[in-house]
Amino acid sequence: MKANPKITEKRQELVEKARQVWIRRLIDLSRRNNLLFYRPLKTGTLTLSLADGDRMVGLLQGEIVNITTLVEDPRDQGLPIKLRDIWRRAQTNAEEKGLATLFVALGMATWKAADGGRDPEAPILLLPVALEARGRIGNLSSLRRTGVVQVNLVLLHVLETEFGIKLTPDDLLPLLQGDDEGEAFDPTPVYNHLADKCRRVAEFRVKEATVLGNFAFQKMAMVNELKERGSELATHDIVAALAGDTEAKKHVAESHVNPDPRELDTIPPSNEFLILDADSSQQRAIASVLADENAVIHGPPGTGKSQTIANLIASLTSTGRRILFVAEKRAALEVVLKRLKHVGLQHLAIDLHGADVSSRQVTEQIAAALDAMRHSPPVDCEAMHKRFVERRERLNRHVERLHRKREPAGLRVYELQGHLLRLQSEAHSDTRWRGSELARIKAGGVDRVRERLKEAVGFATLFRRTDPSPWTGAKLRDGMAVERALDLVARLSQKTWPAFTASIEAVTQTTRFKPPRTLKEAKQIFTLLAAVRHTLSLYMRELYGRDLQALLRDFSPGSTGGWAAFWAWLAN
C-alpha cells in the first residue's frame, strides 16, 4: 500500500472509529465462542488427566503419547467415538477453512458474568496437537505436539477491554514449566500469575483442567495487528478510504492508471516473467501491480484469479520484491502453490499457513529454496525470445487485419463474424457475393439489401425453388428481364389466352374432340390438326370425296383391276 504523509485530524478519527469496529467484528464475544465460554460436549471434547506429569512433559517435548495414558478411564467404551468425532471436526476445519483447530487446553479462567448469564470459562493455554492412528487396525490412539504453546488471545483481549488488565503472551509463557527438557510439568506458576493480576475481577478464579478439543482463534492475530498498529493505519490511503475518508478515496482514484493493452505487446521478453498463460485483462492487472498500484481483482470461479496471482508472484520475485500471500481458506493457497510447482518454481514460496507450522519446518523450506537456487543451471533465452517476438508480431498483424475497416461495407472482419454468430442456428443460405457484386454493396446498400430480404421472406419457397408455381426456377437476371416477363404475362392474360381458349372451344365443337384439360393435351390436338392441314396440302380436294374403301381395294396388289385400274383412273 502507498503511504500518504498528509494526515488530518478528521482522517485519524475516521480510521480510529473504523479500527474499533473491525476489532469488534473479528472477535466473537458471544456464548458460542468456546474460547470464552467453554462447555464440555458429549463427543466433541475429551477431558484429560494431569495425574501422569511425565506423560505431559513428553507431550510438550514432542513425544508421541498414547492417549489412554492421559485419560481417567482408559477402558471407556465411548473413547474411540469421541476421538473420531474430534478428529473429523479438525479435518473439516483444515480442509474447508485452512484452520488448525485441534488443541489441548490447559487451565480454565472463570469469573462472574456481568449480564447474569452463564459465567465465562476460558482456556488459558493452548497446545496444538495432532491425533494419529497406531497399530494394525488404525484406531486413533496417539497424540503428538505440532506447534508452540499459545496463550488464549481472546481471554487477554476481554481482560483488557472489559477490566483494563493488560497482559501479553510474554508475561505468561515463560512461567510454564515442563516445556523445556529436564523440567517437570507444572502450569501452576502461570495460573497463579494470572489470578494475581485479575484479583479485582469479581469472583475470578483459575481451575486446573486439561481438555482436548477444537478451538479456533486465528482471527485474534488480526485483532492484535489492529490494536498494536493503530497509529500507522491512518498513513495508508487504502485503509483511510475504507474508513470513509473522502480525500483518501479521491487520492486513490486519481493515482490509478489503466494500462493500454496495446502497450503490453511492446514489453521486451527479457522484462516479462509470466510463467502461465494470461489474457489482456490479466496482463493489465499484473502491470498495474508492478507499477505499485493498489488493485482489487474480482471475478467468478474459473476466470483465472489464481493463475494471475501465480504470475504476480513470479513477476514480483524477478524484481527482488517480497510477497505475502494470505487467504482465509487453505484451498486457495494450495491452488497457487500447485501452479508454481507445476512450472518448477515451488521454491519461491514458503508455506506458513496453519498453527501447526513449526520453526523447524520453516527452516527446512528455506534451506530447500536456497539449495534449488544454488544448483539451478544457467539459461540462455536469446533464441527463445527471438522466436517469441517474431510470433507476437505475426499475431499483432493478424489482429490489426482483423480489426481494420474494410470497404465497401465499412465493417471490420471481427464485426462481420459477430453478425454471423448472432444468426440463428437454423439460418442457412447458399448465396455468395464475390468480386464486382460484392463491391457494389456499400454501407447504405446493406440496409437496402436487408429490407429487400425482409420483403422476400413471404416468397421463401420461390427463392428455395421448392414452390409448385410455374415461376419456380425462372431466370430473371435483371430489371429488364422482369419487365419483359411482366409484359408477356399481361399480353398472355389479356389477348393470347382469351383467343386461345376461344379457338380451342371452336375446334372441339367442330371436331367433337374432348376438351383438353392441360396445355399438353391442347398441344396434342394442335399437333394433330397441323398434320391434317399438312396432308390436305399434299392432295387434291376431290380425293377426299371418293370412296376410300373402293380405292383401297383398287390399289391393293393382286386385287381385281390392280395397277391397270389405277392407271385407268388416272387417265379419267
Side-chain angles (χ1 to χ4, degrees):
M1 288 186 293
K2 294 181 179 179
N4 185 358
K6 298 179 180 179
I7 308 300
T8 63
E9 184 177 350
K10 178 183 177 182
R11 177 168 174 159
Q12 289 179 329
E13 291 177 357
L14 288 171
V15 173
E16 178 59 26
K17 182 179 179 181
R19 185 174 72 95
Q20 297 301 328
V21 172
W22 296 336
I23 289 174
R24 288 195 298 271
R25 288 180 178 177
L26 286 170
I27 301 177
D28 180 12
L29 300 180
S30 70
R31 286 178 168 81
R32 296 189 302 270
N33 189 349
N34 63 350
L35 284 168
L36 190 57
F37 291 92
Y38 168 80
R39 60 185 179 87
L41 302 175
K42 185 175 181 181
T43 60
T45 60
L46 178 64
T47 300
L48 304 181
S49 174
L50 293 177
D52 192 341
D54 292 339
R55 290 292 184 183
M56 287 303 302
V57 171
L59 181 62
L60 286 170
Q61 294 180 357
E63 296 179 7
I64 299 177
V65 178
N66 192 317
I67 201 165
T68 58
T69 64
L70 298 175
V71 297
E72 294 181 353
D73 186 6
R75 295 172 294 180
D76 182 7
Q77 298 296 322
L79 181 60
I81 298 176
K82 289 184 177 182
L83 292 175
R84 189 161 52 250
D85 188 55
I86 293 171
W87 178 81
R88 283 176 178 171
R89 293 190 184 186
Q91 287 295 109
T92 299
N93 291 332
E95 294 172 359
E96 296 184 1
K97 302 178 181 179
L99 299 178
T101 60
L102 187 58
F103 293 92
V104 171
L106 302 171
M108 292 289 175
T110 182
W111 60 92
K112 187 65 177 177
D115 60 2
R118 180 163 59 93
D119 292 340
E121 190 166 345
I124 299 172
L125 300 174
L126 294 164
L127 173 66
V129 294
L131 272 171
E132 297 179 347
R134 307 283 288 184
R136 289 181 297 176
I137 59 176
N139 287 333
L140 294 167
S141 59
S142 299
L143 206 60
R144 177 177 57 84
R145 174 179 178 171
T146 58
V148 298
V149 179
Q150 305 171 42
V151 178
N152 183 357
L153 298 179
V154 177
L155 171 62
L156 299 187
H157 172 78
V158 172
L159 292 177
E160 180 180 359
T161 57
E162 294 189 8
F163 305 108
I165 301 172
K166 185 173 178 59
L167 285 169
T168 66
D170 292 337
D171 296 328
L172 299 175
L173 289 177
L175 303 175
L176 178 64
Q177 297 180 12
D179 201 16
D180 294 326
E181 188 174 355
E183 289 185 340
F185 174 72
D186 187 7
T188 303
V190 177
Y191 303 158
N192 291 339
H193 183 74
L194 179 64
D196 181 62
K197 290 291 183 179
C198 301
R199 58 182 178 273
R200 57 187 177 87
V201 178
E203 300 184 24
F204 186 91
R205 58 193 177 90
V206 174
K207 299 190 299 183
E208 290 191 0
T210 307
V211 176
L212 176 66
N214 285 278
F215 303 89
F217 71 104
Q218 272 73 7
K219 290 182 179 180
M220 285 305 302
M222 299 172 63
V223 172
N224 287 339
E225 288 287 321
L226 290 171
K227 291 169 63 176
E228 296 172 3
R229 300 185 177 274
S231 60
E232 302 175 27
L233 295 176
T235 64
H236 293 281
D237 283 334
I238 294 295
V239 177
L242 291 173
D245 184 69
T246 54
E247 289 298 323
K249 291 180 180 179
K250 182 179 179 182
H251 187 265
V252 170
E254 291 176 349
S255 62
H256 179 68
V257 178
N258 199 6
D260 187 347
R262 289 173 293 188
E263 295 179 358
L264 300 174
D265 288 331
T266 62
I267 300 176
S270 56
N271 293 342
E272 192 173 52
F273 297 91
L274 302 182
I275 58 175
L276 300 168
D277 292 340
D279 60 22
S280 60
S281 65
Q282 295 167 338
Q283 290 186 40
R284 291 170 70 183
I286 294 169
S288 297
V289 175
L290 292 176
D292 293 331
E293 295 247 353
N294 300 301
V296 175
I297 300 175
H298 177 73
T303 54
K305 297 186 297 297
S306 299
Q307 194 156 314
T308 302
I309 293 172
N311 276 325
L312 266 174
I313 291 174
S315 299
L316 290 168
T317 304
S318 67
T319 60
R321 307 284 188 90
R322 290 178 296 177
I323 305 100
L324 175 62
F325 174 39
V326 297
E328 183 177 1
K329 294 186 177 182
R330 174 73 188 177
L333 295 177
E334 289 180 345
V335 170
V336 175
L337 291 173
K338 183 179 179 180
R339 293 184 183 277
L340 291 174
K341 184 177 181 180
H342 181 70
V343 295
L345 295 177
Q346 63 272 19
H347 59 278
L348 294 182
I350 298 176
D351 188 359
L352 301 177
H353 191 272
D356 58 344
V357 178
S358 65
S359 56
R360 179 179 178 181
Q361 291 174 313
V362 174
T363 303
E364 290 175 350
Q365 291 185 67
I366 295 175
L370 293 175
D371 186 65
M373 296 178 64
R374 189 180 301 112
H375 294 90
S376 296
V379 179
D380 183 8
C381 302
E382 184 177 355
M384 181 178 65
H385 286 172
K386 184 177 180 180
R387 291 195 304 271
F388 171 78
V389 170
E390 188 271 333
R391 293 182 182 181
R392 184 171 66 179
E393 290 177 351
R394 285 168 54 191
L395 285 173
N396 288 337
R397 289 195 297 270
H398 171 74
V399 172
E400 188 276 330
R401 292 193 300 270
L402 192 65
H403 292 277
R404 185 199 314 153
K405 287 188 176 181
R406 304 199 177 245
E407 296 300 333
L411 298 175
R412 303 175 179 88
V413 174
Y414 181 79
E415 293 174 314
L416 293 172
Q417 290 177 340
H419 287 302
L420 293 175
L421 291 173
R422 285 196 296 271
L423 293 175
Q424 297 180 357
S425 58
E426 61 270 16
H428 177 74
S429 175
D430 294 329
T431 304
R432 296 292 183 270
W433 285 286
R434 292 184 176 87
S436 59
E437 295 177 347
L438 183 62
R440 291 200 301 269
I441 305 178
K442 304 290 184 181
V446 173
D447 294 332
R448 291 194 296 273
V449 170
R450 183 183 294 110
E451 293 301 320
R452 296 297 181 271
L453 290 175
K454 288 181 180 179
E455 295 175 4
V457 169
F459 305 97
T461 55
L462 285 176
F463 282 94
R464 295 175 182 171
R465 299 184 179 182
T466 59
D467 197 274
S469 169
W471 286 101
T472 300
K475 295 181 180 180
L476 303 175
R477 298 185 181 280
D478 50 31
M480 294 291 294
V482 173
E483 290 181 2
R484 288 196 298 272
L486 291 175
D487 291 341
L488 288 172
V489 170
R491 189 162 61 250
L492 177 65
S493 62
Q494 297 171 10
K495 297 180 179 180
T496 307
W497 186 256
F500 173 74
T501 55
S503 62
I504 282 290
E505 184 177 357
V507 168
T508 55
Q509 289 178 356
T510 302
T511 60
R512 297 182 183 179
F513 286 165
K514 185 178 180 181
R517 292 174 297 178
T518 63
L519 288 175
K520 183 177 181 181
E521 292 180 356
K523 183 178 180 181
Q524 290 174 349
I525 292 176
F526 279 99
T527 300
L528 176 61
L529 293 177
V532 170
R533 183 177 181 180
H534 177 68
T535 302
L536 289 173
S537 66
L538 295 177
Y539 305 103
M540 294 181 296
R541 292 182 178 272
E542 291 78 2
L543 176 64
Y544 298 98
R546 299 282 186 173
D547 186 356
L548 297 180
Q549 293 296 330
L551 287 175
L552 286 174
R553 288 194 303 271
D554 293 339
F555 293 157
S556 296
S559 299
T560 305
W563 286 105
F566 173 71
W567 289 113
W569 177 76
L570 287 177
N572 294 330

